[in-house]
Amino acid sequence: MGGPMLKMVTIGVYGFDRASFLRRLRHADVRRLLDVRQRRGVRGPEYAWANSLRLQAALAHAGIAYEHHPELAPTTELRHLQYAEDDRQGVGKRSRRELAAEYTRRYTAEILDHADLTPILSALLDGGTAALFCVESDPEACHRSLIARRLAERHHVTVEHLRPW
């Protein structure tokens, strides 16, 4: 068979506190966190630990490398398209369970189809596990699941979604 088995995880912010988030990463042997957020802040004092500089300091202390991949983040326009669908369905961003079909179609066509996933694959080849990171607790409600699916389908990456429960 081909090269080494590539494994990655995905993880969000919601539902975790700093300690449980780091514990979950350690338990999954995560060596590198790949931040695919456009805006690297999270609203609410309970999630202040996930704002970029605090998160990077906590990861460094835990021996986990950090990389920001803004090229994989949805545009502001795409995020607003999803928010409009959330409003139409009467769900809050933190309780969303799935992505809008139009958001998925446009994110795939406008971002994912043009993205160079080589840096992500390189991170996986470096050893240890890499984690795709965004905010939603449900991967199905987040673009990180679309990136993970693309890696699984085209590059035979095994993906596990880490959830707060």
Side-chain angles (χ1 to χ4, degrees):
M1 294 287 284
M5 173 61 93
L6 300 178
K7 178 179 182 260
M8 85 174 326
V9 299
T10 80
I11 193 166
V13 171
Y14 297 148
F16 286 105
D17 59 23
R18 180 178 173 271
S20 62
F21 180 82
L22 292 171
R23 232 184 351 265
R24 207 72 177 87
L25 293 178
R26 269 196 303 275
H27 188 259
D29 192 31
V30 170
R31 305 285 172 87
R32 184 180 310 257
L33 189 97
L34 310 171
D35 189 340
V36 294
R37 298 178 293 174
Q38 179 191 40
R39 292 167 53 248
R40 293 184 288 167
V42 184
R43 288 202 175 102
E46 72 273 33
Y47 295 116
W49 61 268
N51 293 328
S52 180
L53 295 178
R54 287 182 181 145
L55 176 64
Q56 289 181 61
L59 292 168
H61 185 74
I64 298 170
Y66 172 89
E67 294 176 12
H68 185 217
H69 287 277
E71 74 280 5
L72 292 171
T75 61
T76 300
E77 180 192 359
L78 279 174
R79 287 200 344 267
H80 285 285
L81 184 151
Q82 180 63 57
Y83 299 157
E85 181 62 16
D86 292 344
D87 288 346
R88 197 181 68 71
Q89 293 187 9
V91 298
K93 187 168 89 170
R94 294 185 190 190
S95 55
R96 179 189 317 137
R97 291 284 174 251
E98 61 183 8
L99 291 169
E102 180 66 1
Y103 174 97
T104 298
R105 184 190 70 73
R106 287 192 50 197
Y107 176 82
T108 301
E110 296 171 22
I111 310 267
L112 200 51
D113 287 348
H114 301 284
D116 177 6
L117 296 178
T118 308
I120 305 287
L121 291 165
S122 296
L124 299 179
L125 286 166
D126 280 351
T129 300
L132 282 175
F133 169 71
C134 199
V135 294
E136 287 79 9
S137 58
D138 276 313
E140 300 82 9
C142 180
H143 73 287
R144 72 180 184 270
S145 66
L146 305 177
I147 303 166
R149 184 181 317 138
R150 173 68 52 96
L151 289 165
E153 289 171 353
R154 297 200 178 165
H155 304 284
H156 311 290
V157 173
T158 303
V159 178
E160 178 188 356
H161 297 292
L162 304 181
R163 301 173 192 263
W165 54 86

